[in-house]
């Protein structure tokens, strides 16, 4: 079992705000995610800026693409992104088109997806999925449970590299002990911490302790 990576979700409202965070934690985390809101606010400029600052890091453009897969993926790749996300309700054709243009494509699992769909994604060469507890779900009182963990385990058994996200902190990481998680994605718990760099270090230390 490989040690899980740590991914920072830059869910900022502007590039300037994102740069404040990324300068604090960029040397600590493994993957730098340009969040969906940031992509919508500033397009691919955050990807270009962060790539210039961190030429050796893995950068993800969290576009949650639903259509025009080839165009969106090419734009992301040209800006410097290694990975990109598509939403699970996108058509197979959209996913295939995107997958040809970007180094790695992630399918974001929201709402009513099925394992039969997941088989189709695997069959077209997609290796990564992201299992969510959405921000809205967490705000409504939902939390991580056995149902989530069982789904993650099944996705791993199917051969996917599974990243997990949604209200994670250093304490919830214990829930995933023994599961082959590809990456833990943290946003506000790092970015909004009193000391973001120390918060990222605490995450890394906990990952090292558990895995």
């Amino acid at each position: 079992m490989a040690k899980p990576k740590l991914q920072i979700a830059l869910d900022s409202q502007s590039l300037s705000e994102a740069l404040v965070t990324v300068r604090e934690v960029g040397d600590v985390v493994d993957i730098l995610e340009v969040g969906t809101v940031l992509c919508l606010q500033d397009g691919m400029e955050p990807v270009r800026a962060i790539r210039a600052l961190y030429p050796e890091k893995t950068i993800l453009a969290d576009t949650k693409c639903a259509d025009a897969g080839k165009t969106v993926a090419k734009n992301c790749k040209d800006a410097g992104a290694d990975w990109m996300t598509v939403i699970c309700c996108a058509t197979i054709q959209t996913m295939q088109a995107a997958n040809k243009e970007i180094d790695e494509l992630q399918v974001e699992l929201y709402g009513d997806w099925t394992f039969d769909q997941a088989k189709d994604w695997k069959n077209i060469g997609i290796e990564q999925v992201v299992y969510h507890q959405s921000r809205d779900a967490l705000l409504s009182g939902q939390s991580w449970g056995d149902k989530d963990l069982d789904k993650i385990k099944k996705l791993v058994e199917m051969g996917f590299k599974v990243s997990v996200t949604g209200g994670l902190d250093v304490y919830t990481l214990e829930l995933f002990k023994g599961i082959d998680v590809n990456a833990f994605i943290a946003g506000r718990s790092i970015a909004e911490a009193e000391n973001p760099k120390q918060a990222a270090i605490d995450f890394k230390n906990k990952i090292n302790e558990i895995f």
Side-chain angles (χ1 to χ4, degrees), residues 5-8 21-22 24-30 32 170 173 184 186-208:
K5 302 175 184 68
L6 178 61
Q7 179 171 323
I8 177 70
T21 300
V22 81
E24 288 278 339
V25 305
D27 292 330
V28 179
V29 303
D30 304 296
L32 301 169
V170 292
L173 296 186
F184 290 108
R188 289 170 295 163
S189 57
I190 291 177
E192 296 180 6
E194 184 175 343
N195 185 333
K197 184 173 184 176
Q198 186 59 52
I201 291 170
D202 291 344
F203 264 91
K204 292 284 281 191
N205 287 342
K206 194 65 175 180
I207 289 170
N208 289 333

PDB file of all heavy atoms in Angstrom, residues 5-8 21-22 24-30 32 170 173 184 186-208:
ATOM      1  N   LYS A   5      -1.111  10.630  -0.576  1.00  0.00           N
ATOM      2  CA  LYS A   5      -0.602  11.978  -0.798  1.00  0.00           C
ATOM      3  C   LYS A   5      -1.517  12.986  -0.092  1.00  0.00           C
ATOM      4  O   LYS A   5      -2.652  12.664   0.256  1.00  0.00           O
ATOM      5  CB  LYS A   5      -0.545  12.283  -2.295  1.00  0.00           C
ATOM      6  CG  LYS A   5       0.316  11.321  -3.105  1.00  0.00           C
ATOM      7  CD  LYS A   5       0.218  11.639  -4.585  1.00  0.00           C
ATOM      8  CE  LYS A   5       1.005  10.631  -5.417  1.00  0.00           C
ATOM      9  NZ  LYS A   5       0.394   9.283  -5.387  1.00  0.00           N
ATOM     10  N   LEU A   6      -1.006  14.194   0.069  1.00  0.00           N
ATOM     11  CA  LEU A   6      -1.807  15.283   0.622  1.00  0.00           C
ATOM     12  C   LEU A   6      -2.032  16.321  -0.465  1.00  0.00           C
ATOM     13  O   LEU A   6      -1.091  16.782  -1.104  1.00  0.00           O
ATOM     14  CB  LEU A   6      -1.103  15.925   1.816  1.00  0.00           C
ATOM     15  CG  LEU A   6      -1.829  17.126   2.444  1.00  0.00           C
ATOM     16  CD1 LEU A   6      -3.206  16.729   2.967  1.00  0.00           C
ATOM     17  CD2 LEU A   6      -0.980  17.740   3.563  1.00  0.00           C
ATOM     18  N   GLN A   7      -3.299  16.657  -0.661  1.00  0.00           N
ATOM     19  CA  GLN A   7      -3.695  17.628  -1.695  1.00  0.00           C
ATOM     20  C   GLN A   7      -4.374  18.823  -1.041  1.00  0.00           C
ATOM     21  O   GLN A   7      -5.259  18.652  -0.201  1.00  0.00           O
ATOM     22  CB  GLN A   7      -4.653  16.941  -2.671  1.00  0.00           C
ATOM     23  CG  GLN A   7      -5.191  17.808  -3.789  1.00  0.00           C
ATOM     24  CD  GLN A   7      -5.959  16.970  -4.810  1.00  0.00           C
ATOM     25  OE1 GLN A   7      -5.581  15.837  -5.103  1.00  0.00           O
ATOM     26  NE2 GLN A   7      -7.039  17.501  -5.346  1.00  0.00           N
ATOM     27  N   ILE A   8      -3.936  20.007  -1.400  1.00  0.00           N
ATOM     28  CA  ILE A   8      -4.589  21.217  -0.924  1.00  0.00           C
ATOM     29  C   ILE A   8      -5.572  21.693  -1.981  1.00  0.00           C
ATOM     30  O   ILE A   8      -5.219  21.852  -3.142  1.00  0.00           O
ATOM     31  CB  ILE A   8      -3.574  22.340  -0.588  1.00  0.00           C
ATOM     32  CG1 ILE A   8      -4.282  23.636  -0.164  1.00  0.00           C
ATOM     33  CG2 ILE A   8      -2.631  22.612  -1.748  1.00  0.00           C
ATOM     34  CD1 ILE A   8      -4.959  23.600   1.164  1.00  0.00           C
ATOM     35  N   THR A  21      -2.269  31.441   0.204  1.00  0.00           N
ATOM     36  CA  THR A  21      -2.293  30.094   0.776  1.00  0.00           C
ATOM     37  C   THR A  21      -1.194  29.223   0.192  1.00  0.00           C
ATOM     38  O   THR A  21      -0.474  28.528   0.925  1.00  0.00           O
ATOM     39  CB  THR A  21      -3.658  29.430   0.530  1.00  0.00           C
ATOM     40  OG1 THR A  21      -4.687  30.217   1.129  1.00  0.00           O
ATOM     41  CG2 THR A  21      -3.691  28.021   1.108  1.00  0.00           C
ATOM     42  N   VAL A  22      -1.063  29.243  -1.125  1.00  0.00           N
ATOM     43  CA  VAL A  22      -0.137  28.315  -1.770  1.00  0.00           C
ATOM     44  C   VAL A  22       1.308  28.619  -1.392  1.00  0.00           C
ATOM     45  O   VAL A  22       2.145  27.709  -1.292  1.00  0.00           O
ATOM     46  CB  VAL A  22      -0.339  28.311  -3.307  1.00  0.00           C
ATOM     47  CG1 VAL A  22       0.348  29.483  -3.983  1.00  0.00           C
ATOM     48  CG2 VAL A  22       0.146  26.997  -3.910  1.00  0.00           C
ATOM     49  N   GLU A  24       2.213  29.490   1.496  1.00  0.00           N
ATOM     50  CA  GLU A  24       2.372  28.935   2.841  1.00  0.00           C
ATOM     51  C   GLU A  24       2.594  27.426   2.802  1.00  0.00           C
ATOM     52  O   GLU A  24       3.404  26.897   3.561  1.00  0.00           O
ATOM     53  CB  GLU A  24       1.117  29.237   3.677  1.00  0.00           C
ATOM     54  CG  GLU A  24       0.969  30.682   4.097  1.00  0.00           C
ATOM     55  CD  GLU A  24       1.788  31.015   5.317  1.00  0.00           C
ATOM     56  OE1 GLU A  24       2.147  30.096   6.072  1.00  0.00           O
ATOM     57  OE2 GLU A  24       2.096  32.204   5.518  1.00  0.00           O
ATOM     58  N   VAL A  25       1.863  26.737   1.926  1.00  0.00           N
ATOM     59  CA  VAL A  25       1.818  25.271   2.019  1.00  0.00           C
ATOM     60  C   VAL A  25       2.388  24.541   0.803  1.00  0.00           C
ATOM     61  O   VAL A  25       2.496  23.315   0.814  1.00  0.00           O
ATOM     62  CB  VAL A  25       0.365  24.793   2.257  1.00  0.00           C
ATOM     63  CG1 VAL A  25      -0.231  25.459   3.483  1.00  0.00           C
ATOM     64  CG2 VAL A  25      -0.522  25.039   1.039  1.00  0.00           C
ATOM     65  N   GLY A  26       2.752  25.275  -0.229  1.00  0.00           N
ATOM     66  CA  GLY A  26       3.162  24.642  -1.479  1.00  0.00           C
ATOM     67  C   GLY A  26       4.327  23.686  -1.352  1.00  0.00           C
ATOM     68  O   GLY A  26       4.402  22.690  -2.086  1.00  0.00           O
ATOM     69  N   ASP A  27       5.237  23.960  -0.432  1.00  0.00           N
ATOM     70  CA  ASP A  27       6.391  23.082  -0.259  1.00  0.00           C
ATOM     71  C   ASP A  27       6.076  21.854   0.594  1.00  0.00           C
ATOM     72  O   ASP A  27       6.877  20.915   0.636  1.00  0.00           O
ATOM     73  CB  ASP A  27       7.547  23.862   0.389  1.00  0.00           C
ATOM     74  CG  ASP A  27       8.122  24.921  -0.542  1.00  0.00           C
ATOM     75  OD1 ASP A  27       8.071  24.714  -1.767  1.00  0.00           O
ATOM     76  OD2 ASP A  27       8.604  25.956  -0.035  1.00  0.00           O
ATOM     77  N   VAL A  28       4.923  21.859   1.260  1.00  0.00           N
ATOM     78  CA  VAL A  28       4.568  20.768   2.165  1.00  0.00           C
ATOM     79  C   VAL A  28       3.680  19.735   1.474  1.00  0.00           C
ATOM     80  O   VAL A  28       3.908  18.529   1.572  1.00  0.00           O
ATOM     81  CB  VAL A  28       3.856  21.306   3.423  1.00  0.00           C
ATOM     82  CG1 VAL A  28       3.465  20.154   4.353  1.00  0.00           C
ATOM     83  CG2 VAL A  28       4.726  22.314   4.152  1.00  0.00           C
ATOM     84  N   VAL A  29       2.668  20.208   0.762  1.00  0.00           N
ATOM     85  CA  VAL A  29       1.690  19.297   0.163  1.00  0.00           C
ATOM     86  C   VAL A  29       2.251  18.677  -1.118  1.00  0.00           C
ATOM     87  O   VAL A  29       3.244  19.137  -1.677  1.00  0.00           O
ATOM     88  CB  VAL A  29       0.356  20.021  -0.129  1.00  0.00           C
ATOM     89  CG1 VAL A  29      -0.211  20.630   1.137  1.00  0.00           C
ATOM     90  CG2 VAL A  29       0.543  21.079  -1.209  1.00  0.00           C
ATOM     91  N   ASP A  30       1.574  17.616  -1.592  1.00  0.00           N
ATOM     92  CA  ASP A  30       2.019  16.905  -2.793  1.00  0.00           C
ATOM     93  C   ASP A  30       1.316  17.376  -4.056  1.00  0.00           C
ATOM     94  O   ASP A  30       1.906  17.376  -5.140  1.00  0.00           O
ATOM     95  CB  ASP A  30       1.768  15.400  -2.611  1.00  0.00           C
ATOM     96  CG  ASP A  30       2.429  14.864  -1.360  1.00  0.00           C
ATOM     97  OD1 ASP A  30       3.664  14.896  -1.292  1.00  0.00           O
ATOM     98  OD2 ASP A  30       1.703  14.424  -0.445  1.00  0.00           O
ATOM     99  N   LEU A  32      -1.371  20.338  -5.803  1.00  0.00           N
ATOM    100  CA  LEU A  32      -1.964  21.668  -5.709  1.00  0.00           C
ATOM    101  C   LEU A  32      -3.204  21.709  -6.592  1.00  0.00           C
ATOM    102  O   LEU A  32      -3.110  21.563  -7.811  1.00  0.00           O
ATOM    103  CB  LEU A  32      -0.953  22.731  -6.159  1.00  0.00           C
ATOM    104  CG  LEU A  32       0.358  22.772  -5.372  1.00  0.00           C
ATOM    105  CD1 LEU A  32       1.370  23.665  -6.071  1.00  0.00           C
ATOM    106  CD2 LEU A  32       0.120  23.243  -3.947  1.00  0.00           C
ATOM    107  N   VAL A 170      -7.273  16.171  10.786  1.00  0.00           N
ATOM    108  CA  VAL A 170      -6.299  15.145  11.159  1.00  0.00           C
ATOM    109  C   VAL A 170      -6.946  13.998  11.933  1.00  0.00           C
ATOM    110  O   VAL A 170      -6.424  12.876  11.948  1.00  0.00           O
ATOM    111  CB  VAL A 170      -5.132  15.750  11.983  1.00  0.00           C
ATOM    112  CG1 VAL A 170      -4.287  16.657  11.120  1.00  0.00           C
ATOM    113  CG2 VAL A 170      -5.644  16.480  13.214  1.00  0.00           C
ATOM    114  N   LEU A 173      -8.863  11.325   9.572  1.00  0.00           N
ATOM    115  CA  LEU A 173      -7.978  10.450   8.795  1.00  0.00           C
ATOM    116  C   LEU A 173      -7.914   9.039   9.380  1.00  0.00           C
ATOM    117  O   LEU A 173      -7.712   8.064   8.658  1.00  0.00           O
ATOM    118  CB  LEU A 173      -6.564  11.037   8.735  1.00  0.00           C
ATOM    119  CG  LEU A 173      -6.378  12.377   8.019  1.00  0.00           C
ATOM    120  CD1 LEU A 173      -4.899  12.734   7.934  1.00  0.00           C
ATOM    121  CD2 LEU A 173      -6.998  12.374   6.635  1.00  0.00           C
ATOM    122  N   PHE A 184      -5.525  12.401   0.234  1.00  0.00           N
ATOM    123  CA  PHE A 184      -6.480  13.111   1.066  1.00  0.00           C
ATOM    124  C   PHE A 184      -6.497  14.563   0.618  1.00  0.00           C
ATOM    125  O   PHE A 184      -5.444  15.194   0.500  1.00  0.00           O
ATOM    126  CB  PHE A 184      -6.091  13.020   2.540  1.00  0.00           C
ATOM    127  CG  PHE A 184      -6.256  11.658   3.134  1.00  0.00           C
ATOM    128  CD1 PHE A 184      -5.151  10.874   3.435  1.00  0.00           C
ATOM    129  CD2 PHE A 184      -7.520  11.145   3.379  1.00  0.00           C
ATOM    130  CE1 PHE A 184      -5.295   9.617   3.982  1.00  0.00           C
ATOM    131  CE2 PHE A 184      -7.685   9.878   3.918  1.00  0.00           C
ATOM    132  CZ  PHE A 184      -6.568   9.104   4.220  1.00  0.00           C
ATOM    133  N   ALA A 186      -7.672  18.312   1.372  1.00  0.00           N
ATOM    134  CA  ALA A 186      -8.107  19.224   2.421  1.00  0.00           C
ATOM    135  C   ALA A 186      -8.127  20.646   1.875  1.00  0.00           C
ATOM    136  O   ALA A 186      -7.253  21.035   1.099  1.00  0.00           O
ATOM    137  CB  ALA A 186      -7.173  19.140   3.623  1.00  0.00           C
ATOM    138  N   GLY A 187      -9.133  21.402   2.274  1.00  0.00           N
ATOM    139  CA  GLY A 187      -9.257  22.784   1.831  1.00  0.00           C
ATOM    140  C   GLY A 187      -9.205  23.741   2.996  1.00  0.00           C
ATOM    141  O   GLY A 187      -8.145  24.165   3.445  1.00  0.00           O
ATOM    142  N   ARG A 188     -10.401  24.053   3.512  1.00  0.00           N
ATOM    143  CA  ARG A 188     -10.495  25.052   4.575  1.00  0.00           C
ATOM    144  C   ARG A 188      -9.753  24.665   5.848  1.00  0.00           C
ATOM    145  O   ARG A 188      -9.242  25.528   6.563  1.00  0.00           O
ATOM    146  CB  ARG A 188     -11.971  25.307   4.890  1.00  0.00           C
ATOM    147  CG  ARG A 188     -12.714  26.065   3.796  1.00  0.00           C
ATOM    148  CD  ARG A 188     -14.206  26.066   4.043  1.00  0.00           C
ATOM    149  NE  ARG A 188     -14.748  24.709   3.963  1.00  0.00           N
ATOM    150  CZ  ARG A 188     -15.933  24.350   4.440  1.00  0.00           C
ATOM    151  NH1 ARG A 188     -16.684  25.240   5.071  1.00  0.00           N
ATOM    152  NH2 ARG A 188     -16.366  23.118   4.296  1.00  0.00           N
ATOM    153  N   SER A 189      -9.682  23.351   6.152  1.00  0.00           N
ATOM    154  CA  SER A 189      -9.007  22.930   7.383  1.00  0.00           C
ATOM    155  C   SER A 189      -7.522  23.273   7.363  1.00  0.00           C
ATOM    156  O   SER A 189      -6.886  23.363   8.414  1.00  0.00           O
ATOM    157  CB  SER A 189      -9.195  21.428   7.617  1.00  0.00           C
ATOM    158  OG  SER A 189      -8.723  20.687   6.508  1.00  0.00           O
ATOM    159  N   ILE A 190      -6.968  23.483   6.179  1.00  0.00           N
ATOM    160  CA  ILE A 190      -5.592  23.962   6.061  1.00  0.00           C
ATOM    161  C   ILE A 190      -5.571  25.459   5.775  1.00  0.00           C
ATOM    162  O   ILE A 190      -4.937  26.235   6.492  1.00  0.00           O
ATOM    163  CB  ILE A 190      -4.829  23.197   4.963  1.00  0.00           C
ATOM    164  CG1 ILE A 190      -4.598  21.741   5.384  1.00  0.00           C
ATOM    165  CG2 ILE A 190      -3.494  23.884   4.650  1.00  0.00           C
ATOM    166  CD1 ILE A 190      -3.909  20.893   4.344  1.00  0.00           C
ATOM    167  N   ALA A 191      -6.293  25.866   4.738  1.00  0.00           N
ATOM    168  CA  ALA A 191      -6.218  27.259   4.275  1.00  0.00           C
ATOM    169  C   ALA A 191      -6.692  28.255   5.326  1.00  0.00           C
ATOM    170  O   ALA A 191      -6.170  29.373   5.413  1.00  0.00           O
ATOM    171  CB  ALA A 191      -7.022  27.429   2.998  1.00  0.00           C
ATOM    172  N   GLU A 192      -7.693  27.870   6.135  1.00  0.00           N
ATOM    173  CA  GLU A 192      -8.249  28.783   7.114  1.00  0.00           C
ATOM    174  C   GLU A 192      -7.690  28.573   8.520  1.00  0.00           C
ATOM    175  O   GLU A 192      -8.168  29.182   9.481  1.00  0.00           O
ATOM    176  CB  GLU A 192      -9.775  28.670   7.123  1.00  0.00           C
ATOM    177  CG  GLU A 192     -10.412  29.089   5.799  1.00  0.00           C
ATOM    178  CD  GLU A 192     -11.931  28.984   5.797  1.00  0.00           C
ATOM    179  OE1 GLU A 192     -12.506  28.682   6.871  1.00  0.00           O
ATOM    180  OE2 GLU A 192     -12.528  29.197   4.733  1.00  0.00           O
ATOM    181  N   ALA A 193      -6.694  27.718   8.624  1.00  0.00           N
ATOM    182  CA  ALA A 193      -6.057  27.502   9.920  1.00  0.00           C
ATOM    183  C   ALA A 193      -5.263  28.747  10.322  1.00  0.00           C
ATOM    184  O   ALA A 193      -4.853  29.545   9.471  1.00  0.00           O
ATOM    185  CB  ALA A 193      -5.133  26.294   9.853  1.00  0.00           C
ATOM    186  N   GLU A 194      -5.034  28.905  11.617  1.00  0.00           N
ATOM    187  CA  GLU A 194      -4.253  30.039  12.093  1.00  0.00           C
ATOM    188  C   GLU A 194      -2.848  30.023  11.491  1.00  0.00           C
ATOM    189  O   GLU A 194      -2.283  31.063  11.157  1.00  0.00           O
ATOM    190  CB  GLU A 194      -4.178  30.010  13.626  1.00  0.00           C
ATOM    191  CG  GLU A 194      -3.472  31.203  14.225  1.00  0.00           C
ATOM    192  CD  GLU A 194      -3.533  31.206  15.744  1.00  0.00           C
ATOM    193  OE1 GLU A 194      -4.373  30.473  16.316  1.00  0.00           O
ATOM    194  OE2 GLU A 194      -2.742  31.944  16.363  1.00  0.00           O
ATOM    195  N   ASN A 195      -2.322  28.811  11.326  1.00  0.00           N
ATOM    196  CA  ASN A 195      -1.012  28.618  10.706  1.00  0.00           C
ATOM    197  C   ASN A 195      -1.155  27.547   9.631  1.00  0.00           C
ATOM    198  O   ASN A 195      -1.016  26.354   9.918  1.00  0.00           O
ATOM    199  CB  ASN A 195       0.026  28.203  11.751  1.00  0.00           C
ATOM    200  CG  ASN A 195       1.426  28.105  11.192  1.00  0.00           C
ATOM    201  OD1 ASN A 195       1.633  27.863  10.010  1.00  0.00           O
ATOM    202  ND2 ASN A 195       2.418  28.296  12.057  1.00  0.00           N
ATOM    203  N   PRO A 196      -1.464  27.940   8.379  1.00  0.00           N
ATOM    204  CA  PRO A 196      -1.714  26.953   7.324  1.00  0.00           C
ATOM    205  C   PRO A 196      -0.553  25.979   7.109  1.00  0.00           C
ATOM    206  O   PRO A 196      -0.783  24.782   6.887  1.00  0.00           O
ATOM    207  CB  PRO A 196      -1.962  27.813   6.089  1.00  0.00           C
ATOM    208  CG  PRO A 196      -2.481  29.099   6.633  1.00  0.00           C
ATOM    209  CD  PRO A 196      -1.713  29.307   7.900  1.00  0.00           C
ATOM    210  N   LYS A 197       0.673  26.476   7.162  1.00  0.00           N
ATOM    211  CA  LYS A 197       1.815  25.581   6.955  1.00  0.00           C
ATOM    212  C   LYS A 197       1.875  24.514   8.029  1.00  0.00           C
ATOM    213  O   LYS A 197       2.076  23.322   7.741  1.00  0.00           O
ATOM    214  CB  LYS A 197       3.117  26.376   6.922  1.00  0.00           C
ATOM    215  CG  LYS A 197       4.331  25.509   6.620  1.00  0.00           C
ATOM    216  CD  LYS A 197       5.585  26.342   6.416  1.00  0.00           C
ATOM    217  CE  LYS A 197       6.764  25.463   6.008  1.00  0.00           C
ATOM    218  NZ  LYS A 197       7.975  26.259   5.722  1.00  0.00           N
ATOM    219  N   GLN A 198       1.685  24.909   9.284  1.00  0.00           N
ATOM    220  CA  GLN A 198       1.702  23.932  10.365  1.00  0.00           C
ATOM    221  C   GLN A 198       0.540  22.953  10.236  1.00  0.00           C
ATOM    222  O   GLN A 198       0.696  21.760  10.517  1.00  0.00           O
ATOM    223  CB  GLN A 198       1.650  24.629  11.722  1.00  0.00           C
ATOM    224  CG  GLN A 198       1.817  23.671  12.900  1.00  0.00           C
ATOM    225  CD  GLN A 198       3.125  22.905  12.857  1.00  0.00           C
ATOM    226  OE1 GLN A 198       4.198  23.501  12.729  1.00  0.00           O
ATOM    227  NE2 GLN A 198       3.051  21.586  12.938  1.00  0.00           N
ATOM    228  N   ALA A 199      -0.619  23.444   9.797  1.00  0.00           N
ATOM    229  CA  ALA A 199      -1.774  22.557   9.591  1.00  0.00           C
ATOM    230  C   ALA A 199      -1.456  21.505   8.531  1.00  0.00           C
ATOM    231  O   ALA A 199      -1.808  20.327   8.688  1.00  0.00           O
ATOM    232  CB  ALA A 199      -2.992  23.374   9.183  1.00  0.00           C
ATOM    233  N   ALA A 200      -0.790  21.908   7.453  1.00  0.00           N
ATOM    234  CA  ALA A 200      -0.399  20.957   6.410  1.00  0.00           C
ATOM    235  C   ALA A 200       0.619  19.954   6.943  1.00  0.00           C
ATOM    236  O   ALA A 200       0.539  18.746   6.646  1.00  0.00           O
ATOM    237  CB  ALA A 200       0.157  21.708   5.208  1.00  0.00           C
ATOM    238  N   ILE A 201       1.563  20.442   7.741  1.00  0.00           N
ATOM    239  CA  ILE A 201       2.555  19.540   8.342  1.00  0.00           C
ATOM    240  C   ILE A 201       1.869  18.536   9.268  1.00  0.00           C
ATOM    241  O   ILE A 201       2.222  17.349   9.283  1.00  0.00           O
ATOM    242  CB  ILE A 201       3.620  20.358   9.104  1.00  0.00           C
ATOM    243  CG1 ILE A 201       4.490  21.137   8.122  1.00  0.00           C
ATOM    244  CG2 ILE A 201       4.478  19.445   9.976  1.00  0.00           C
ATOM    245  CD1 ILE A 201       5.410  22.148   8.780  1.00  0.00           C
ATOM    246  N   ASP A 202       0.879  18.991  10.025  1.00  0.00           N
ATOM    247  CA  ASP A 202       0.139  18.098  10.919  1.00  0.00           C
ATOM    248  C   ASP A 202      -0.575  16.999  10.124  1.00  0.00           C
ATOM    249  O   ASP A 202      -0.603  15.832  10.541  1.00  0.00           O
ATOM    250  CB  ASP A 202      -0.875  18.888  11.742  1.00  0.00           C
ATOM    251  CG  ASP A 202      -0.220  19.799  12.774  1.00  0.00           C
ATOM    252  OD1 ASP A 202       0.968  19.611  13.067  1.00  0.00           O
ATOM    253  OD2 ASP A 202      -0.913  20.713  13.267  1.00  0.00           O
ATOM    254  N   PHE A 203      -1.158  17.371   8.986  1.00  0.00           N
ATOM    255  CA  PHE A 203      -1.787  16.372   8.114  1.00  0.00           C
ATOM    256  C   PHE A 203      -0.758  15.344   7.651  1.00  0.00           C
ATOM    257  O   PHE A 203      -1.002  14.132   7.698  1.00  0.00           O
ATOM    258  CB  PHE A 203      -2.424  17.050   6.897  1.00  0.00           C
ATOM    259  CG  PHE A 203      -3.887  17.328   7.021  1.00  0.00           C
ATOM    260  CD1 PHE A 203      -4.344  18.536   7.520  1.00  0.00           C
ATOM    261  CD2 PHE A 203      -4.833  16.380   6.615  1.00  0.00           C
ATOM    262  CE1 PHE A 203      -5.702  18.795   7.627  1.00  0.00           C
ATOM    263  CE2 PHE A 203      -6.182  16.631   6.720  1.00  0.00           C
ATOM    264  CZ  PHE A 203      -6.625  17.848   7.223  1.00  0.00           C
ATOM    265  N   LYS A 204       0.386  15.822   7.174  1.00  0.00           N
ATOM    266  CA  LYS A 204       1.421  14.912   6.679  1.00  0.00           C
ATOM    267  C   LYS A 204       1.916  13.992   7.789  1.00  0.00           C
ATOM    268  O   LYS A 204       2.110  12.782   7.577  1.00  0.00           O
ATOM    269  CB  LYS A 204       2.588  15.719   6.105  1.00  0.00           C
ATOM    270  CG  LYS A 204       2.271  16.473   4.836  1.00  0.00           C
ATOM    271  CD  LYS A 204       2.221  15.572   3.613  1.00  0.00           C
ATOM    272  CE  LYS A 204       3.607  15.242   3.117  1.00  0.00           C
ATOM    273  NZ  LYS A 204       3.563  14.587   1.784  1.00  0.00           N
ATOM    274  N   ASN A 205       2.113  14.539   8.971  1.00  0.00           N
ATOM    275  CA  ASN A 205       2.574  13.724  10.091  1.00  0.00           C
ATOM    276  C   ASN A 205       1.554  12.654  10.447  1.00  0.00           C
ATOM    277  O   ASN A 205       1.912  11.512  10.758  1.00  0.00           O
ATOM    278  CB  ASN A 205       2.851  14.607  11.300  1.00  0.00           C
ATOM    279  CG  ASN A 205       4.109  15.445  11.148  1.00  0.00           C
ATOM    280  OD1 ASN A 205       4.953  15.152  10.304  1.00  0.00           O
ATOM    281  ND2 ASN A 205       4.234  16.499  11.955  1.00  0.00           N
ATOM    282  N   LYS A 206       0.263  13.018  10.409  1.00  0.00           N
ATOM    283  CA  LYS A 206      -0.775  12.045  10.729  1.00  0.00           C
ATOM    284  C   LYS A 206      -0.849  10.958   9.673  1.00  0.00           C
ATOM    285  O   LYS A 206      -1.034   9.770   9.984  1.00  0.00           O
ATOM    286  CB  LYS A 206      -2.136  12.759  10.845  1.00  0.00           C
ATOM    287  CG  LYS A 206      -3.221  11.906  11.496  1.00  0.00           C
ATOM    288  CD  LYS A 206      -2.881  11.596  12.943  1.00  0.00           C
ATOM    289  CE  LYS A 206      -4.003  10.861  13.657  1.00  0.00           C
ATOM    290  NZ  LYS A 206      -3.680  10.550  15.060  1.00  0.00           N
ATOM    291  N   ILE A 207      -0.702  11.327   8.407  1.00  0.00           N
ATOM    292  CA  ILE A 207      -0.669  10.327   7.329  1.00  0.00           C
ATOM    293  C   ILE A 207       0.493   9.361   7.554  1.00  0.00           C
ATOM    294  O   ILE A 207       0.337   8.147   7.433  1.00  0.00           O
ATOM    295  CB  ILE A 207      -0.570  11.028   5.964  1.00  0.00           C
ATOM    296  CG1 ILE A 207      -1.894  11.742   5.620  1.00  0.00           C
ATOM    297  CG2 ILE A 207      -0.217  10.015   4.858  1.00  0.00           C
ATOM    298  CD1 ILE A 207      -1.805  12.662   4.418  1.00  0.00           C
ATOM    299  N   ASN A 208       1.655   9.893   7.896  1.00  0.00           N
ATOM    300  CA  ASN A 208       2.820   9.057   8.141  1.00  0.00           C
ATOM    301  C   ASN A 208       2.605   8.130   9.345  1.00  0.00           C
ATOM    302  O   ASN A 208       3.054   6.982   9.349  1.00  0.00           O
ATOM    303  CB  ASN A 208       4.063   9.916   8.374  1.00  0.00           C
ATOM    304  CG  ASN A 208       4.529  10.603   7.103  1.00  0.00           C
ATOM    305  OD1 ASN A 208       4.305  10.117   6.001  1.00  0.00           O
ATOM    306  ND2 ASN A 208       5.176  11.745   7.250  1.00  0.00           N
TER     307      ASN A 208
END
